[in-house]
mmCIF file of all heavy atoms in Angstrom:
data_model
loop_
_atom_site.group_PDB
_atom_site.id
_atom_site.type_symbol
_atom_site.label_atom_id
_atom_site.label_comp_id
_atom_site.label_asym_id
_atom_site.label_seq_id
_atom_site.Cartn_x
_atom_site.Cartn_y
_atom_site.Cartn_z
ATOM 1 N N LEU A 467 -2.176 -15.579 9.929
ATOM 2 C CA LEU A 467 -0.721 -15.560 10.104
ATOM 3 C C LEU A 467 -0.068 -16.774 9.459
ATOM 4 O O LEU A 467 1.035 -16.680 8.901
ATOM 5 C CB LEU A 467 -0.379 -15.501 11.593
ATOM 6 C CG LEU A 467 -0.838 -14.247 12.339
ATOM 7 C CD1 LEU A 467 -0.528 -14.369 13.824
ATOM 8 C CD2 LEU A 467 -0.198 -12.999 11.759
ATOM 9 N N ALA A 468 -0.740 -17.916 9.519
ATOM 10 C CA ALA A 468 -0.205 -19.134 8.902
ATOM 11 C C ALA A 468 -0.093 -18.985 7.391
ATOM 12 O O ALA A 468 0.760 -19.604 6.752
ATOM 13 C CB ALA A 468 -1.090 -20.326 9.248
ATOM 14 N N LYS A 469 -0.959 -18.133 6.817
ATOM 15 C CA LYS A 469 -0.922 -17.869 5.375
ATOM 16 C C LYS A 469 0.016 -16.702 5.041
ATOM 17 O O LYS A 469 0.030 -16.218 3.917
ATOM 18 C CB LYS A 469 -2.335 -17.544 4.878
ATOM 19 C CG LYS A 469 -3.315 -18.707 4.946
ATOM 20 C CD LYS A 469 -3.034 -19.738 3.874
ATOM 21 C CE LYS A 469 -4.127 -20.793 3.839
ATOM 22 N NZ LYS A 469 -3.883 -21.799 2.772
ATOM 23 N N ARG A 470 0.760 -16.235 6.062
ATOM 24 C CA ARG A 470 1.743 -15.156 5.902
ATOM 25 C C ARG A 470 1.095 -13.812 5.634
ATOM 26 O O ARG A 470 1.643 -12.968 4.930
ATOM 27 C CB ARG A 470 2.775 -15.504 4.824
ATOM 28 C CG ARG A 470 3.580 -16.748 5.145
ATOM 29 C CD ARG A 470 4.630 -17.035 4.102
ATOM 30 N NE ARG A 470 5.617 -15.965 4.007
ATOM 31 C CZ ARG A 470 6.652 -15.976 3.166
ATOM 32 N NH1 ARG A 470 6.826 -17.019 2.372
ATOM 33 N NH2 ARG A 470 7.498 -14.979 3.122
ATOM 34 N N HIS A 471 -0.088 -13.605 6.220
ATOM 35 C CA HIS A 471 -0.710 -12.289 6.163
ATOM 36 C C HIS A 471 -0.401 -11.520 7.442
ATOM 37 O O HIS A 471 0.159 -12.069 8.393
ATOM 38 C CB HIS A 471 -2.211 -12.414 5.925
ATOM 39 C CG HIS A 471 -2.541 -13.062 4.611
ATOM 40 N ND1 HIS A 471 -2.086 -12.565 3.409
ATOM 41 C CD2 HIS A 471 -3.257 -14.180 4.317
ATOM 42 C CE1 HIS A 471 -2.510 -13.340 2.423
ATOM 43 N NE2 HIS A 471 -3.211 -14.334 2.944
ATOM 44 N N GLU A 472 -0.805 -10.253 7.502
ATOM 45 C CA GLU A 472 -0.394 -9.361 8.583
ATOM 46 C C GLU A 472 -1.103 -9.618 9.905
ATOM 47 O O GLU A 472 -0.516 -9.472 10.971
ATOM 48 C CB GLU A 472 -0.692 -7.907 8.194
ATOM 49 C CG GLU A 472 0.416 -7.218 7.467
ATOM 50 C CD GLU A 472 0.199 -5.722 7.471
ATOM 51 O OE1 GLU A 472 -0.867 -5.268 7.009
ATOM 52 O OE2 GLU A 472 1.080 -4.994 7.952
ATOM 53 N N GLY A 473 -2.377 -9.931 9.851
ATOM 54 C CA GLY A 473 -3.171 -10.047 11.058
ATOM 55 C C GLY A 473 -4.642 -10.057 10.699
ATOM 56 O O GLY A 473 -5.021 -10.661 9.685
ATOM 57 N N VAL A 474 -5.479 -9.384 11.509
ATOM 58 C CA VAL A 474 -6.907 -9.302 11.196
ATOM 59 C C VAL A 474 -7.423 -7.895 11.447
ATOM 60 O O VAL A 474 -6.814 -7.106 12.180
ATOM 61 C CB VAL A 474 -7.750 -10.294 12.038
ATOM 62 C CG1 VAL A 474 -7.453 -11.731 11.652
ATOM 63 C CG2 VAL A 474 -7.566 -10.061 13.535
ATOM 64 N N MET A 475 -8.544 -7.605 10.818
ATOM 65 C CA MET A 475 -9.335 -6.411 11.106
ATOM 66 C C MET A 475 -10.587 -6.872 11.845
ATOM 67 O O MET A 475 -11.227 -7.845 11.430
ATOM 68 C CB MET A 475 -9.725 -5.704 9.822
ATOM 69 C CG MET A 475 -8.555 -5.211 8.996
ATOM 70 S SD MET A 475 -7.688 -3.817 9.754
ATOM 71 C CE MET A 475 -8.968 -2.570 9.648
ATOM 72 N N VAL A 476 -10.918 -6.183 12.924
ATOM 73 C CA VAL A 476 -12.129 -6.493 13.694
ATOM 74 C C VAL A 476 -13.075 -5.309 13.517
ATOM 75 O O VAL A 476 -12.770 -4.193 13.929
ATOM 76 C CB VAL A 476 -11.793 -6.719 15.182
ATOM 77 C CG1 VAL A 476 -13.062 -7.044 15.966
ATOM 78 C CG2 VAL A 476 -10.769 -7.844 15.329
ATOM 79 N N LYS A 477 -14.240 -5.571 12.878
ATOM 80 C CA LYS A 477 -15.145 -4.486 12.483
ATOM 81 C C LYS A 477 -16.544 -4.730 13.047
ATOM 82 O O LYS A 477 -17.127 -5.799 12.827
ATOM 83 C CB LYS A 477 -15.219 -4.390 10.959
ATOM 84 C CG LYS A 477 -13.870 -4.176 10.291
ATOM 85 C CD LYS A 477 -14.001 -4.164 8.775
ATOM 86 C CE LYS A 477 -12.667 -3.970 8.094
ATOM 87 N NZ LYS A 477 -12.792 -4.015 6.616
ATOM 88 N N ALA A 478 -17.067 -3.728 13.738
ATOM 89 C CA ALA A 478 -18.400 -3.833 14.315
ATOM 90 C C ALA A 478 -19.438 -4.048 13.224
ATOM 91 O O ALA A 478 -19.494 -3.273 12.254
ATOM 92 C CB ALA A 478 -18.736 -2.575 15.108
ATOM 93 N N LEU A 479 -20.258 -5.077 13.361
ATOM 94 C CA LEU A 479 -21.263 -5.386 12.332
ATOM 95 C C LEU A 479 -22.342 -4.332 12.238
ATOM 96 O O LEU A 479 -23.035 -4.230 11.211
ATOM 97 C CB LEU A 479 -21.883 -6.759 12.602
ATOM 98 C CG LEU A 479 -20.997 -7.956 12.237
ATOM 99 C CD1 LEU A 479 -21.615 -9.258 12.728
ATOM 100 C CD2 LEU A 479 -20.758 -8.010 10.726
ATOM 101 N N ASP A 480 -22.522 -3.522 13.289
ATOM 102 C CA ASP A 480 -23.536 -2.466 13.216
ATOM 103 C C ASP A 480 -22.945 -1.121 12.793
ATOM 104 O O ASP A 480 -23.628 -0.107 12.784
ATOM 105 C CB ASP A 480 -24.266 -2.316 14.559
ATOM 106 C CG ASP A 480 -23.325 -1.951 15.705
ATOM 107 O OD1 ASP A 480 -22.104 -1.832 15.466
ATOM 108 O OD2 ASP A 480 -23.818 -1.790 16.840
ATOM 109 N N GLY A 481 -21.653 -1.108 12.433
ATOM 110 C CA GLY A 481 -20.992 0.138 12.072
ATOM 111 C C GLY A 481 -21.254 0.558 10.642
ATOM 112 O O GLY A 481 -21.404 -0.262 9.740
ATOM 113 N N THR A 482 -21.319 1.880 10.416
ATOM 114 C CA THR A 482 -21.474 2.432 9.069
ATOM 115 C C THR A 482 -20.095 2.686 8.475
ATOM 116 O O THR A 482 -19.068 2.550 9.161
ATOM 117 C CB THR A 482 -22.273 3.742 9.106
ATOM 118 O OG1 THR A 482 -21.596 4.681 9.973
ATOM 119 C CG2 THR A 482 -23.684 3.490 9.627
ATOM 120 N N TYR A 483 -20.049 3.058 7.202
ATOM 121 C CA TYR A 483 -18.776 3.341 6.530
ATOM 122 C C TYR A 483 -18.475 4.823 6.714
ATOM 123 O O TYR A 483 -19.129 5.686 6.127
ATOM 124 C CB TYR A 483 -18.847 2.988 5.047
ATOM 125 C CG TYR A 483 -17.488 3.012 4.361
ATOM 126 C CD1 TYR A 483 -16.759 1.841 4.212
ATOM 127 C CD2 TYR A 483 -16.941 4.194 3.887
ATOM 128 C CE1 TYR A 483 -15.509 1.846 3.602
ATOM 129 C CE2 TYR A 483 -15.694 4.222 3.280
ATOM 130 C CZ TYR A 483 -14.981 3.043 3.140
ATOM 131 O OH TYR A 483 -13.740 3.054 2.535
ATOM 132 N N GLU A 484 -17.473 5.125 7.563
ATOM 133 C CA GLU A 484 -17.118 6.508 7.870
ATOM 134 C C GLU A 484 -16.000 6.950 6.938
ATOM 135 O O GLU A 484 -14.816 6.862 7.280
ATOM 136 C CB GLU A 484 -16.708 6.635 9.333
ATOM 137 C CG GLU A 484 -17.803 6.223 10.309
ATOM 138 C CD GLU A 484 -17.337 6.297 11.750
ATOM 139 O OE1 GLU A 484 -17.027 7.407 12.207
ATOM 140 O OE2 GLU A 484 -17.277 5.243 12.396
ATOM 141 N N ALA A 485 -16.380 7.432 5.780
ATOM 142 C CA ALA A 485 -15.401 7.812 4.760
ATOM 143 C C ALA A 485 -14.423 8.848 5.309
ATOM 144 O O ALA A 485 -14.821 9.844 5.901
ATOM 145 C CB ALA A 485 -16.119 8.379 3.537
ATOM 146 N N GLY A 486 -13.141 8.563 5.105
ATOM 147 C CA GLY A 486 -12.114 9.511 5.497
ATOM 148 C C GLY A 486 -11.812 9.574 6.971
ATOM 149 O O GLY A 486 -10.957 10.337 7.399
ATOM 150 N N ARG A 487 -12.475 8.767 7.797
ATOM 151 C CA ARG A 487 -12.290 8.833 9.250
ATOM 152 C C ARG A 487 -11.563 7.598 9.760
ATOM 153 O O ARG A 487 -11.684 6.522 9.194
ATOM 154 C CB ARG A 487 -13.653 8.923 9.957
ATOM 155 C CG ARG A 487 -14.516 10.093 9.525
ATOM 156 C CD ARG A 487 -13.928 11.423 9.952
ATOM 157 N NE ARG A 487 -13.793 11.511 11.404
ATOM 158 C CZ ARG A 487 -14.799 11.853 12.216
ATOM 159 N NH1 ARG A 487 -15.999 12.109 11.739
ATOM 160 N NH2 ARG A 487 -14.590 11.945 13.518
ATOM 161 N N ARG A 488 -10.838 7.778 10.872
ATOM 162 C CA ARG A 488 -10.251 6.640 11.566
ATOM 163 C C ARG A 488 -11.270 6.198 12.607
ATOM 164 O O ARG A 488 -11.211 6.569 13.772
ATOM 165 C CB ARG A 488 -8.923 7.028 12.214
ATOM 166 C CG ARG A 488 -8.106 5.834 12.676
ATOM 167 C CD ARG A 488 -6.729 6.258 13.149
ATOM 168 N NE ARG A 488 -5.903 6.779 12.077
ATOM 169 C CZ ARG A 488 -5.240 6.039 11.201
ATOM 170 N NH1 ARG A 488 -5.330 4.717 11.259
ATOM 171 N NH2 ARG A 488 -4.508 6.593 10.264
ATOM 172 N N GLY A 489 -12.251 5.424 12.158
ATOM 173 C CA GLY A 489 -13.384 5.077 12.998
ATOM 174 C C GLY A 489 -13.041 4.089 14.104
ATOM 175 O O GLY A 489 -12.192 3.220 13.947
ATOM 176 N N LYS A 490 -13.733 4.222 15.228
ATOM 177 C CA LYS A 490 -13.511 3.315 16.353
ATOM 178 C C LYS A 490 -14.180 1.964 16.126
ATOM 179 O O LYS A 490 -13.952 1.021 16.890
ATOM 180 C CB LYS A 490 -14.020 3.965 17.642
ATOM 181 C CG LYS A 490 -13.253 5.226 18.035
ATOM 182 C CD LYS A 490 -13.719 5.758 19.367
ATOM 183 C CE LYS A 490 -12.970 7.026 19.740
ATOM 184 N NZ LYS A 490 -11.511 6.823 19.835
ATOM 185 N N SER A 491 -15.029 1.866 15.105
ATOM 186 C CA SER A 491 -15.696 0.588 14.844
ATOM 187 C C SER A 491 -14.835 -0.353 14.007
ATOM 188 O O SER A 491 -15.214 -1.491 13.766
ATOM 189 C CB SER A 491 -17.034 0.823 14.133
ATOM 190 O OG SER A 491 -16.841 1.421 12.872
ATOM 191 N N TRP A 492 -13.674 0.109 13.556
ATOM 192 C CA TRP A 492 -12.698 -0.742 12.875
ATOM 193 C C TRP A 492 -11.428 -0.783 13.724
ATOM 194 O O TRP A 492 -10.866 0.275 14.064
ATOM 195 C CB TRP A 492 -12.339 -0.195 11.493
ATOM 196 C CG TRP A 492 -13.364 -0.417 10.426
ATOM 197 C CD1 TRP A 492 -14.673 -0.746 10.576
ATOM 198 C CD2 TRP A 492 -13.145 -0.297 9.016
ATOM 199 N NE1 TRP A 492 -15.291 -0.836 9.369
ATOM 200 C CE2 TRP A 492 -14.385 -0.571 8.391
ATOM 201 C CE3 TRP A 492 -12.042 0.014 8.234
ATOM 202 C CZ2 TRP A 492 -14.543 -0.537 7.007
ATOM 203 C CZ3 TRP A 492 -12.193 0.057 6.858
ATOM 204 C CH2 TRP A 492 -13.436 -0.232 6.248
ATOM 205 N N ARG A 493 -10.968 -1.979 14.053
ATOM 206 C CA ARG A 493 -9.748 -2.145 14.842
ATOM 207 C C ARG A 493 -8.817 -3.122 14.132
ATOM 208 O O ARG A 493 -9.240 -4.216 13.754
ATOM 209 C CB ARG A 493 -10.074 -2.696 16.231
ATOM 210 C CG ARG A 493 -11.074 -1.866 17.021
ATOM 211 C CD ARG A 493 -10.418 -0.683 17.686
ATOM 212 N NE ARG A 493 -11.391 0.205 18.295
ATOM 213 C CZ ARG A 493 -11.122 1.018 19.305
ATOM 214 N NH1 ARG A 493 -9.903 1.029 19.821
ATOM 215 N NH2 ARG A 493 -12.043 1.833 19.781
ATOM 216 N N LYS A 494 -7.559 -2.735 13.968
ATOM 217 C CA LYS A 494 -6.593 -3.638 13.350
ATOM 218 C C LYS A 494 -5.762 -4.307 14.435
ATOM 219 O O LYS A 494 -5.354 -3.672 15.412
ATOM 220 C CB LYS A 494 -5.700 -2.909 12.343
ATOM 221 C CG LYS A 494 -4.917 -1.743 12.882
ATOM 222 C CD LYS A 494 -4.158 -1.049 11.758
ATOM 223 C CE LYS A 494 -3.483 0.226 12.251
ATOM 224 N NZ LYS A 494 -2.794 0.949 11.162
ATOM 225 N N VAL A 495 -5.541 -5.604 14.265
ATOM 226 C CA VAL A 495 -4.772 -6.393 15.232
ATOM 227 C C VAL A 495 -3.637 -7.073 14.481
ATOM 228 O O VAL A 495 -3.884 -7.887 13.578
ATOM 229 C CB VAL A 495 -5.656 -7.448 15.922
ATOM 230 C CG1 VAL A 495 -4.828 -8.259 16.915
ATOM 231 C CG2 VAL A 495 -6.840 -6.792 16.623
ATOM 232 N N LYS A 496 -2.413 -6.711 14.846
ATOM 233 C CA LYS A 496 -1.234 -7.319 14.233
ATOM 234 C C LYS A 496 -0.280 -7.755 15.338
ATOM 235 O O LYS A 496 -0.102 -7.034 16.323
ATOM 236 C CB LYS A 496 -0.535 -6.319 13.293
ATOM 237 C CG LYS A 496 -1.391 -5.870 12.124
ATOM 238 C CD LYS A 496 -0.597 -5.067 11.114
ATOM 239 C CE LYS A 496 -0.307 -3.676 11.608
ATOM 240 N NZ LYS A 496 0.323 -2.843 10.549
ATOM 241 N N PRO A 497 0.338 -8.941 15.193
ATOM 242 C CA PRO A 497 1.239 -9.432 16.244
ATOM 243 C C PRO A 497 2.401 -8.490 16.518
ATOM 244 O O PRO A 497 2.852 -8.378 17.638
ATOM 245 C CB PRO A 497 1.739 -10.761 15.687
ATOM 246 C CG PRO A 497 0.713 -11.170 14.692
ATOM 247 C CD PRO A 497 0.191 -9.901 14.112
ATOM 248 N N VAL A 498 2.874 -7.806 15.500
ATOM 249 C CA VAL A 498 3.952 -6.844 15.666
ATOM 250 C C VAL A 498 3.358 -5.454 15.555
ATOM 251 O O VAL A 498 2.612 -5.149 14.631
ATOM 252 C CB VAL A 498 5.033 -7.033 14.577
ATOM 253 C CG1 VAL A 498 6.111 -5.970 14.707
ATOM 254 C CG2 VAL A 498 5.647 -8.427 14.685
ATOM 255 N N HIS A 499 3.670 -4.608 16.534
ATOM 256 C CA HIS A 499 3.192 -3.237 16.463
ATOM 257 C C HIS A 499 3.882 -2.527 15.294
ATOM 258 O O HIS A 499 5.112 -2.583 15.166
ATOM 259 C CB HIS A 499 3.507 -2.486 17.750
ATOM 260 C CG HIS A 499 2.788 -3.026 18.944
ATOM 261 N ND1 HIS A 499 1.420 -3.013 19.065
ATOM 262 C CD2 HIS A 499 3.249 -3.593 20.078
ATOM 263 C CE1 HIS A 499 1.067 -3.542 20.211
ATOM 264 N NE2 HIS A 499 2.158 -3.908 20.853
ATOM 265 N N THR A 500 3.126 -1.875 14.457
ATOM 266 C CA THR A 500 3.708 -1.077 13.384
ATOM 267 C C THR A 500 3.106 0.317 13.401
ATOM 268 O O THR A 500 1.953 0.504 13.781
ATOM 269 C CB THR A 500 3.477 -1.709 11.998
ATOM 270 O OG1 THR A 500 2.075 -1.771 11.736
ATOM 271 C CG2 THR A 500 4.091 -3.089 11.908
ATOM 272 N N LEU A 501 3.911 1.270 13.011
ATOM 273 C CA LEU A 501 3.481 2.660 12.929
ATOM 274 C C LEU A 501 3.907 3.222 11.583
ATOM 275 O O LEU A 501 4.993 2.913 11.088
ATOM 276 C CB LEU A 501 4.119 3.497 14.041
ATOM 277 C CG LEU A 501 3.727 3.164 15.479
ATOM 278 C CD1 LEU A 501 4.716 3.808 16.446
ATOM 279 C CD2 LEU A 501 2.305 3.641 15.772
ATOM 280 N N ASP A 502 3.058 4.027 10.989
ATOM 281 C CA ASP A 502 3.414 4.748 9.771
ATOM 282 C C ASP A 502 3.871 6.141 10.193
ATOM 283 O O ASP A 502 3.069 6.958 10.642
ATOM 284 C CB ASP A 502 2.216 4.832 8.823
ATOM 285 C CG ASP A 502 1.826 3.480 8.278
ATOM 286 O OD1 ASP A 502 2.729 2.668 8.029
ATOM 287 O OD2 ASP A 502 0.623 3.228 8.104
ATOM 288 N N LEU A 503 5.172 6.399 10.054
ATOM 289 C CA LEU A 503 5.770 7.647 10.512
ATOM 290 C C LEU A 503 6.387 8.397 9.340
ATOM 291 O O LEU A 503 6.565 7.841 8.250
ATOM 292 C CB LEU A 503 6.830 7.351 11.580
ATOM 293 C CG LEU A 503 6.310 6.587 12.813
ATOM 294 C CD1 LEU A 503 7.465 6.209 13.716
ATOM 295 C CD2 LEU A 503 5.266 7.396 13.568
ATOM 296 N N VAL A 504 6.734 9.645 9.575
ATOM 297 C CA VAL A 504 7.314 10.490 8.533
ATOM 298 C C VAL A 504 8.806 10.681 8.808
ATOM 299 O O VAL A 504 9.215 10.890 9.955
ATOM 300 C CB VAL A 504 6.601 11.848 8.483
ATOM 301 C CG1 VAL A 504 7.363 12.841 7.621
ATOM 302 C CG2 VAL A 504 5.190 11.671 7.941
ATOM 303 N N VAL A 505 9.599 10.582 7.768
ATOM 304 C CA VAL A 505 11.047 10.807 7.901
ATOM 305 C C VAL A 505 11.301 12.310 7.942
ATOM 306 O O VAL A 505 10.918 13.047 7.026
ATOM 307 C CB VAL A 505 11.824 10.169 6.739
ATOM 308 C CG1 VAL A 505 13.323 10.410 6.923
ATOM 309 C CG2 VAL A 505 11.535 8.679 6.645
ATOM 310 N N LEU A 506 11.931 12.757 9.026
ATOM 311 C CA LEU A 506 12.232 14.175 9.204
ATOM 312 C C LEU A 506 13.642 14.526 8.742
ATOM 313 O O LEU A 506 13.883 15.625 8.249
ATOM 314 C CB LEU A 506 12.078 14.563 10.680
ATOM 315 C CG LEU A 506 10.768 14.173 11.371
ATOM 316 C CD1 LEU A 506 10.813 14.595 12.829
ATOM 317 C CD2 LEU A 506 9.585 14.807 10.658
ATOM 318 N N ALA A 507 14.555 13.578 8.924
ATOM 319 C CA ALA A 507 15.959 13.810 8.580
ATOM 320 C C ALA A 507 16.676 12.463 8.580
ATOM 321 O O ALA A 507 16.091 11.437 8.944
ATOM 322 C CB ALA A 507 16.612 14.760 9.585
ATOM 323 N N ALA A 508 17.920 12.468 8.164
ATOM 324 C CA ALA A 508 18.736 11.249 8.194
ATOM 325 C C ALA A 508 20.195 11.636 8.385
ATOM 326 O O ALA A 508 20.628 12.723 7.980
ATOM 327 C CB ALA A 508 18.562 10.444 6.915
ATOM 328 N N GLU A 509 20.938 10.730 9.013
ATOM 329 C CA GLU A 509 22.353 10.963 9.277
ATOM 330 C C GLU A 509 23.208 10.114 8.342
ATOM 331 O O GLU A 509 22.837 8.982 8.005
ATOM 332 C CB GLU A 509 22.669 10.603 10.734
ATOM 333 C CG GLU A 509 21.889 11.431 11.745
ATOM 334 C CD GLU A 509 22.017 10.890 13.158
ATOM 335 O OE1 GLU A 509 22.866 9.997 13.366
ATOM 336 O OE2 GLU A 509 21.259 11.340 14.042
ATOM 337 N N TRP A 510 24.338 10.670 7.930
ATOM 338 C CA TRP A 510 25.250 9.918 7.071
ATOM 339 C C TRP A 510 25.804 8.715 7.838
ATOM 340 O O TRP A 510 26.106 8.801 9.029
ATOM 341 C CB TRP A 510 26.402 10.806 6.601
ATOM 342 C CG TRP A 510 25.984 11.826 5.593
ATOM 343 C CD1 TRP A 510 25.813 13.161 5.787
ATOM 344 C CD2 TRP A 510 25.668 11.579 4.216
ATOM 345 N NE1 TRP A 510 25.406 13.776 4.625
ATOM 346 C CE2 TRP A 510 25.309 12.833 3.642
ATOM 347 C CE3 TRP A 510 25.639 10.444 3.415
ATOM 348 C CZ2 TRP A 510 24.941 12.964 2.309
ATOM 349 C CZ3 TRP A 510 25.269 10.570 2.068
ATOM 350 C CH2 TRP A 510 24.925 11.814 1.537
ATOM 351 N N GLY A 511 25.920 7.583 7.145
ATOM 352 C CA GLY A 511 26.365 6.355 7.777
ATOM 353 C C GLY A 511 27.871 6.267 7.921
ATOM 354 O O GLY A 511 28.630 7.083 7.374
ATOM 355 N N HIS A 512 28.304 5.256 8.672
ATOM 356 C CA HIS A 512 29.734 5.009 8.895
ATOM 357 C C HIS A 512 30.073 3.587 8.435
ATOM 358 O O HIS A 512 29.190 2.770 8.183
ATOM 359 C CB HIS A 512 30.072 5.172 10.376
ATOM 360 C CG HIS A 512 29.752 6.516 10.935
ATOM 361 N ND1 HIS A 512 30.529 7.625 10.710
ATOM 362 C CD2 HIS A 512 28.711 6.946 11.712
ATOM 363 C CE1 HIS A 512 30.008 8.660 11.326
ATOM 364 N NE2 HIS A 512 28.899 8.277 11.938
ATOM 365 N N GLY A 513 31.350 3.290 8.364
ATOM 366 C CA GLY A 513 31.781 1.938 8.028
ATOM 367 C C GLY A 513 31.263 1.514 6.667
ATOM 368 O O GLY A 513 31.422 2.224 5.676
ATOM 369 N N ARG A 514 30.605 0.350 6.612
ATOM 370 C CA ARG A 514 30.109 -0.146 5.333
ATOM 371 C C ARG A 514 28.949 0.690 4.804
ATOM 372 O O ARG A 514 28.562 0.541 3.647
ATOM 373 C CB ARG A 514 29.702 -1.617 5.437
ATOM 374 C CG ARG A 514 28.514 -1.898 6.342
ATOM 375 C CD ARG A 514 28.124 -3.369 6.281
ATOM 376 N NE ARG A 514 27.783 -3.783 4.927
ATOM 377 C CZ ARG A 514 26.566 -3.623 4.388
ATOM 378 N NH1 ARG A 514 25.595 -3.053 5.080
ATOM 379 N NH2 ARG A 514 26.317 -4.029 3.167
ATOM 380 N N ARG A 515 28.401 1.563 5.650
ATOM 381 C CA ARG A 515 27.322 2.450 5.191
ATOM 382 C C ARG A 515 27.836 3.849 4.850
ATOM 383 O O ARG A 515 27.056 4.769 4.678
ATOM 384 C CB ARG A 515 26.224 2.536 6.258
ATOM 385 C CG ARG A 515 25.474 1.223 6.432
ATOM 386 C CD ARG A 515 24.216 1.395 7.253
ATOM 387 N NE ARG A 515 23.465 0.140 7.342
ATOM 388 C CZ ARG A 515 22.247 0.032 7.875
ATOM 389 N NH1 ARG A 515 21.648 1.100 8.364
ATOM 390 N NH2 ARG A 515 21.637 -1.131 7.916
#
Side-chain angles (χ1 to χ4, degrees):
L467 297 176
K469 293 286 187 179
R470 299 183 62 180
H471 298 303
E472 271 196 304
V474 292
M475 299 290 293
V476 180
K477 303 177 181 178
L479 284 172
D480 60 359
T482 58
Y483 191 96
E484 300 177 64
R487 303 292 300 277
R488 193 173 293 280
K490 295 185 181 300
S491 63
W492 284 17
R493 304 279 173 155
K494 58 184 174 183
V495 180
K496 298 189 285 187
V498 177
H499 295 297
T500 62
L501 295 165
D502 293 324
L503 302 173
V504 168
V505 181
L506 309 178
E509 299 169 10
W510 288 105
H512 301 283
R514 66 175 301 275
R515 292 192 177 188

